[in-house]
Amino acid sequence: MKITFFAYILGLNINFAKNTVCLSMKRFFLVIIIGSLICFNYSCKPINQQKQRGAIKGNRSYGGTIHVNETTPVLNLYPYYIYDNVSFTIASQIYDGLVKLNPKDLSVVPDIAKSWDIDASGTVYTFHLHSNVVFHDDPCFSDGKGRKVVAGDFKYSMEKLCTASEDNVVFSITFKDMVEGANEYYEKSKKGPPPSGISGIKVVNDSTLEIKLLKKDPVFLAMIAGTGGFVIAREATEKYGNGLHVGTGPFIYSYGDSSKIILTENPNYFRFDSLGNRLPYVDSIVFTFMANREQEFKLFSEGKLDYITSVPSDQVYKLVEEKTSDFLHKPPRYILSRIAEMSTKFYAFNINKAPFNDIRVRKAFSLAIDRNKIVSEVLQGQAFAPGLHGVTPPTFMGSSNPGDNYDISTIIGDSLNVPKAEKLLTEAGFPDGKGFPDVTLELDDGGGINTGVAMEMQKELKANLKVNVNLNIATFSQKLEDEKFMKFDMVFMGWNADYPAPEDFLMLFLGSNVPDSAGQPSYYNSTRYKNPEYDKLFELGRTANTTKESYTYYKQAEQLAINDAPIMVMWYDQNYSLTRGAVKGLYSNSINYIDLSCVYIDEKSAKAADEADKADSIKKK
C-alpha cells in the first residue's frame, strides 16, 4: 500500500487491481514538488502564546484561537443523534468517554477510564475511572458547578444509548447485539423507562464500571471511542433534552448559530500532557461552516483559517505554484497532508420501487459508468482510486501481518462494460432505453465535487444507455432526511468510518438495521437491503476467533451485497488537508478524527523565522 501511495504522489502510473490512474503530464513536475512538501505531522509536542496558567514546561505556552472551517453544517451535538462527520468532530471536543482514539495512529487509548481489565473469555471489561473528572460548569447543576463523574453516570449514559427514541440513531451500530441485555432494554424502553437496568452493565463502585458482552468482539473498545461511549449528565439531559451540549471534554460549548460554533477552554479539564501541563493549550476554537471552497481557500491563504480539510487538488496545485517557498520555509508556513481515507462514495438505489427494484437495471447503470475517467478527469486527484471493488475502502490493506489485511482486490465490483449494460437493460424491458422513465439523483453539492461527478455520470448514462437522469441538488440536511425515509430514486452517499474496521462499512447492508415499516427512519441501511445469507455471513465474521477468519466471512458477505447491487460504488476517497505552520500537534489520519486538546499555536518561532529571513535578505543586499 505504501508503494502505491508514494508512486501516486510522485506522478507515476499506479496499478490498483487492474486499474491505472494517471496524472496529466502538465502537472507532473508540480506533483513531484507537492510530493516533497507532504508533511506527515506525527509529533504531539505543544508551543503557544501569551496566556500563562502557571508553570509551562517543555518550551510550551498557552493561548490563542484555532479557526477551522467545515463545508457542511453541524446537524446535532446530542451524542446519540450524531450520524455525520462534522457533528462528530465538534462533539468529540466537548465530550469524553471511557476511551478515545489516538489521532496519530487511531489506536485506542485511555480517557476517563485510566485502565481496564478483560477477563479470560474476552467478554467482561472492567474499567477503572479517574477520580478527578467533572462535568462542565452549567446552570443545569444545582450550584452551577460541574459535579464529579462517577461510574453511575456511564450506566445512565449507556441506558440512554439503549433507549428507543426518534433522537437515538447510534444504538443499532453500537450496543445492539453486542452488550448483554442491551437489546432487551431497548425493546422494553418502547413502552416507557424500563424498571431495571441493562444486565450487562454493572456499577461496582464510583470508580469502577463493568461491561459484559454477549460474545468476544475485537472492535468493542474502538466502537466505544465514538459517540456511543460519551458520558452525559442526567441533570443536563433533563434540562436540555436533545439540545444537550454539556460534557467533560477539553472545550465548552459557548456559542452557536448557522454560520459558526465557538468552543472555549475547559479550565477544569482533567488531562495533562506528558510534562505535567494542563490541557488544553488554546483558549478557544471557532468552527465556521462555509460551503464555498474558493472562499474557504482564500481565507486560509490570508491567515484567517488555521486548518481546512478536503482541499480540492486544483487549489493545492495553485497554492504550491504560488507559495512554494512558504512550504519549504524553515519552519514551514504551511503544512500539506495527503491521506488515503477510510471513506467511500457511492450512489444508492431505491430498490423497493421501479425501475430500480429490478437488479438488471441497477447492474446496467453500474456497468455503464467509466469510473477511471471520473477519477482522472473529473476528480483530478481528489480520489484515491476508482470504486471497482466493494464498499470497504483499500485502507485496510496496509498491515504488515497478512492475516490482518482486508484485501478488497478479491472483491469483484463493476467496471465499464457497455455491451453487457445494454444487454441487461434490454432484458429488463428497455431496449436502447426505450420506455425507461426519467429518474432523479438527489445529492448535495459538496463544494462542487459531487455535482461535477454527477454531471459526468448523467452524461455517460445518456450516451451509453440512452436514459435520462435528472439531478436534484439539495442541502446536506435535506438529503440526509430523504435518505432516512427512502424518498429518492437514487441518492449520492458517502460513508466515513466511525472506527477503523471493515465491519463499520458492512453495517450499511445489515438487515437488522432496517426498521419494521416504511414510515420509520432507516439511518444506516438507507437502501433497506435485506439478505438473510448476508446477515448470516456478517454474524459469522463478527464472532470469528481470528481476524483472518473474520475477514474471510466479511468478504463473502460484501461480495454478496455487491452482486445484489443496492448501491453503485464510485470512488475511494483521499484527502488533502492544509494546516498553518504555526499550528502544532494537529494530526491527519484516515478517518479525519481530530483531537484539539493538545494543539497549540507557535507564533513565536514563526515570527523569529520571519525576522531571520528579513535579516538574511538585508545581508545579501
Side-chain angles (χ1 to χ4, degrees), residues 55 81 536:
Y81 201 29
K536 178 183 176 182

Side-chain angles (χ1 to χ4, degrees), residues 186-247:
Y186 185 85
E187 289 303 315
K188 289 177 183 177
S189 72
K190 293 177 180 179
K191 299 177 181 179
S196 58
I198 301 168
S199 61
I201 298 173
K202 179 182 176 182
V203 173
V204 179
N205 53 50
D206 279 356
S207 60
T208 311
L209 180 76
E210 183 181 285
I211 300 177
K212 185 176 183 181
L213 308 187
L214 291 167
K215 48 193 171 289
K216 184 178 180 179
D217 197 316
V219 303
F220 173 67
L221 286 174
M223 181 274 294
I224 61 170
T227 60
F230 290 157
V231 66
I232 58 176
R234 182 187 296 271
E235 299 93 324
T237 309
E238 290 175 349
K239 182 176 178 65
Y240 301 114
N242 63 11
L244 171 76
H245 39 64
V246 177

Side-chain angles (χ1 to χ4, degrees), residues 115-233:
S115 64
W116 56 88
D117 306 311
I118 307 173
D119 78 339
S121 71
T123 62
V124 180
Y125 289 70
T126 304
F127 296 93
H128 308 284
L129 312 185
H130 284 284
S131 59
N132 61 337
V133 182
V134 296
F135 288 106
H136 297 158
D137 291 347
D138 190 88
C140 70
F141 299 110
S142 58
D143 57 358
K145 298 290 184 183
R147 63 167 176 79
K148 178 182 174 180
V149 175
V150 295
D153 292 310
F154 279 99
K155 178 178 181 292
Y156 169 78
S157 302
M158 291 170 182
E159 288 172 356
K160 291 295 289 183
L161 170 65
C162 297
T163 297
S165 66
E166 291 183 356
D167 51 20
N168 182 357
V169 304
V170 177
F171 170 73
S172 65
I173 60 167
T174 53
F175 278 27
K176 181 181 179 181
D177 301 328
M178 181 180 283
V179 174
E180 182 185 278
N183 291 12
E184 292 80 1
Y185 188 93
Y186 185 85
E187 289 303 315
K188 289 177 183 177
S189 72
K190 293 177 180 179
K191 299 177 181 179
S196 58
I198 301 168
S199 61
I201 298 173
K202 179 182 176 182
V203 173
V204 179
N205 53 50
D206 279 356
S207 60
T208 311
L209 180 76
E210 183 181 285
I211 300 177
K212 185 176 183 181
L213 308 187
L214 291 167
K215 48 193 171 289
K216 184 178 180 179
D217 197 316
V219 303
F220 173 67
L221 286 174
M223 181 274 294
I224 61 170
T227 60
F230 290 157
V231 66
I232 58 176

Side-chain angles (χ1 to χ4, degrees), residues 8 77 99 190 223 281 306 330 446 538 553:
Y8 188 79
L77 293 176
V99 298
K190 293 177 180 179
M223 181 274 294
Y281 297 106
D306 296 299
K330 302 295 183 182
F538 179 89
Y553 288 121

Side-chain angles (χ1 to χ4, degrees), residues 349 355-356 358-369 371 389 412-418 420-425 427-428 461 465 559-568:
F349 297 108
F356 297 121
D358 190 327
I359 189 174
R360 294 170 298 186
V361 173
R362 302 195 299 269
K363 294 296 283 186
F365 267 51
S366 192
L367 291 164
I369 301 300
R371 294 162 177 81
H389 302 282
I412 301 169
D414 293 324
S415 56
L416 183 65
N417 188 332
V418 176
K420 187 175 180 180
E422 291 175 326
K423 182 174 182 292
L424 285 169
L425 199 65
E427 290 174 358
L461 288 174
L465 295 180
Q559 184 67 69
L560 195 61
I562 293 303
N563 291 346
D564 288 342
I567 67 169
M568 183 163 71

